[in-house]
Amino acid sequence: MKDKITVITGANSGIGKAAAYKFAAEGYRVVMACRNLAISKPVQQEIMASTGSQTIDLMELDVSSFDSIQTFCAAFKARYDKLDILIHNAAFLSHGETEYKLSPERVELSFATNAFGPLYMTELLADWLDRSHDPRVLNACTTNIKNFFDPKRAIEFDNLRGEHRATRRYSSYKMYGDSKMAFLMLTFKMAEQWRARGIKVNAIQINRVKLSKETVAKMKSHWKALAWAQNLTNPHPSGMADHYFYLCTSDSFKHVTGQLINHRREIVQPASNEQGLNQLKNIFGSSYYPKYAIEQSNVDQVWGMGQTLIAAHSS
Ligand SMILES: NC(=O)c1ccc[n+]([C@@H]2O[C@H](COP(=O)([O-])OP(=O)(O)OC[C@H]3O[C@@H](n4cnc5c(N)ncnc54)[C@H](OP(=O)(O)O)[C@@H]3O)[C@@H](O)[C@H]2O)c1
């Protein structure tokens, strides 16, 4: 596996760090794409020391910034001649945050980090993925999208650039869930776009995993207490990292594209019935996702906004 190259965003903590460890231990070349090199360097060294791998690279990337993504992709292409596996693991979720924040492209920060940044990065790296014999992209999604089983739930397309920030209450949880729903829709669309080129694009529905001590340390005190309590029973990130590895390397998923996959490695289906008891099964189970994700007008809006942002940045 020495020649297989894997890029993992947000690889300095939580599931991303566990995934960097797993891929390195299995002999893959790993590029940790992280925004803070000072805190990420000791993590790189720790993984190198414990796996014995000499092929773990650390490169700077702020996935909420199109300039940073462009710089990262150019530097990556100068250093590597192909890309085999791209894992969009990094995410923005500031627990309890009530202040609306914009990215450098003036997009709400959850959407910039969790949806449009990964879209732009994948588009820029698609020609390097073409050079792999088995290119796979994996997007970190969440069970939080099940909130879209509520028929009233919708992405605030009219407020993603802060149009109503002065008058609408900001909820970091709602924006996080909305941005992950947008990311799922982009996953389906990217898969369709690149199917003929052989680039497979899937999403993984992450349910619950212990939060890293670094992530808990950033929280306000009452959120810290809650996270601490949840961490008592939540599983370790290594289990989810094993799923990342399996979905990106196993023969079973070699030809799978455009799918959402759950924590049991099963393909999640669009719900055909969102009424009554079926709805309860949808909400408490992990087998169906809301049909909101495949409604054409929603997909077109997310894709259209992504393409408009990318075109504006490239012009
Ligand atoms: N843990 C769970 O229970 C759970 C549940 C559902 C879904 N997920 C998803 O699983 C993935 C990993 O979650 P986790 O719990 O392991 O998270 P985590 O430990 O909080 O790590 C998040 C990572 O993303 C990085 N990041 C955030 N903004 C970034 C940016 N603009 N540019 C580059 N990197 C950025 C962070 O970097 P810094 O260290 O510099 O902040 C950190 O490395 C995320 O996509 C998350 O949404 C997790």
Side-chain angles (χ1 to χ4, degrees):
M1 288 307 151
K2 293 279 177 267
D3 62 335
K4 283 245 182 185
I5 300 160
T6 305
V7 169
I8 305 171
T9 67
N12 57 289
S13 116
I15 304 168
K17 174 181 172 184
Y21 184 96
K22 174 72 182 171
F23 278 85
E26 296 286 345
Y28 285 68
R29 295 170 73 178
V30 174
V31 177
M32 300 170 59
C34 302
R35 63 176 165 181
N36 184 332
L37 295 186
I39 61 166
S40 304
K41 187 80 192 159
V43 179
Q44 177 200 22
Q45 286 167 341
E46 178 195 326
I47 301 173
M48 283 175 124
S50 48
T51 60
S53 170
Q54 293 304 306
T55 55
I56 304 175
D57 203 352
L58 172 63
M59 295 177 70
E60 189 170 358
L61 170 71
D62 176 347
V63 84
S64 71
S65 154
F66 277 19
D67 279 348
S68 173
I69 291 169
Q70 204 172 28
T71 305
F72 169 87
C73 292
F76 177 83
K77 288 178 179 183
R79 212 176 282 189
Y80 296 95
D81 59 5
K82 64 165 183 158
L83 173 59
D84 297 287
I85 296 164
L86 172 58
I87 302 180
H88 291 296
N89 164 79
F92 172 73
L93 169 59
S94 184
H95 292 267
E97 177 68 68
T98 52
E99 191 194 329
Y100 191 113
K101 290 200 175 86
L102 288 168
S103 74
E105 275 62 47
R106 303 197 61 73
V107 177
E108 192 282 323
L109 200 50
S110 323
F111 271 79
T113 313
N114 307 347
F116 297 125
L119 171 68
Y120 184 45
M121 186 168 164
T122 315
E123 290 206 357
L124 289 183
L125 292 172
D127 54 352
W128 249 238
L129 286 162
D130 279 336
R131 295 173 169 206
S132 169
H133 293 301
D134 180 15
R136 304 195 201 186
V137 179
L138 185 65
N139 299 331
C141 197
T142 166
T143 47
N144 195 311
I145 61 155
K146 289 198 272 182
N147 286 314
F148 282 81
F149 282 125
D150 175 353
K152 294 193 291 296
R153 180 71 176 249
I155 293 177
E156 290 177 56
F157 286 109
D158 63 344
N159 194 27
L160 296 189
R161 311 207 71 180
E163 294 91 329
H164 298 282
R165 63 194 290 192
T167 50
R168 285 192 201 161
R169 192 182 143 264
Y170 178 79
S171 157
S172 53
Y173 294 107
K174 178 165 187 311
M175 276 298 180
Y176 171 76
D178 287 4
S179 67
K180 290 285 186 178
M181 171 52 84
F183 199 22
L184 179 61
M185 294 192 273
L186 292 175
T187 302
F188 296 150
K189 191 78 184 171
M190 283 191 268
E192 187 185 304
Q193 206 78 3
W194 294 317
R195 188 183 295 271
R197 282 161 69 170
I199 302 174
K200 279 85 58 171
V201 188
N202 293 298
I204 179 163
Q205 177 165 276
I206 298 168
N207 48 346
R208 54 191 189 88
V209 170
K210 264 186 215 307
L211 294 173
S212 68
K213 61 179 187 314
E214 294 81 6
T215 297
V216 176
K218 287 181 207 154
M219 295 176 178
K220 296 198 178 105
S221 52
H222 53 291
W223 293 107
K224 256 189 200 144
L226 190 64
W228 183 83
Q230 285 182 341
N231 270 357
L232 290 175
T233 55
N234 281 351
H236 285 283
S238 57
M240 197 49 66
D242 287 350
H243 295 324
Y244 281 16
F245 183 77
Y246 187 80
L247 300 185
C248 292
T249 63
S250 73
D251 282 348
S252 321
F253 281 89
K254 192 169 182 168
H255 303 292
V256 174
T257 190
Q259 302 294 343
L260 175 65
I261 295 141
N262 69 20
H263 62 288
R264 293 191 296 267
R265 301 177 182 174
E266 301 158 342
I267 292 179
V268 185
Q269 304 291 341
S272 53
N273 188 337
E274 298 191 357
Q275 306 294 321
L277 273 182
N278 283 302
Q279 190 67 314
L280 283 181
K281 274 206 294 199
N282 294 337
I283 293 167
F284 290 106
S286 301
S287 304
Y288 298 99
Y289 61 77
K291 58 179 185 284
Y292 184 94
I294 50 168
E295 279 167 13
Q296 203 55 48
S297 61
N298 301 328
V299 178
D300 289 347
Q301 283 199 74
V302 173
W303 184 256
M305 185 168 172
Q307 295 308 320
T308 304
L309 290 168
I310 291 169
H313 189 258
S314 313
S315 63

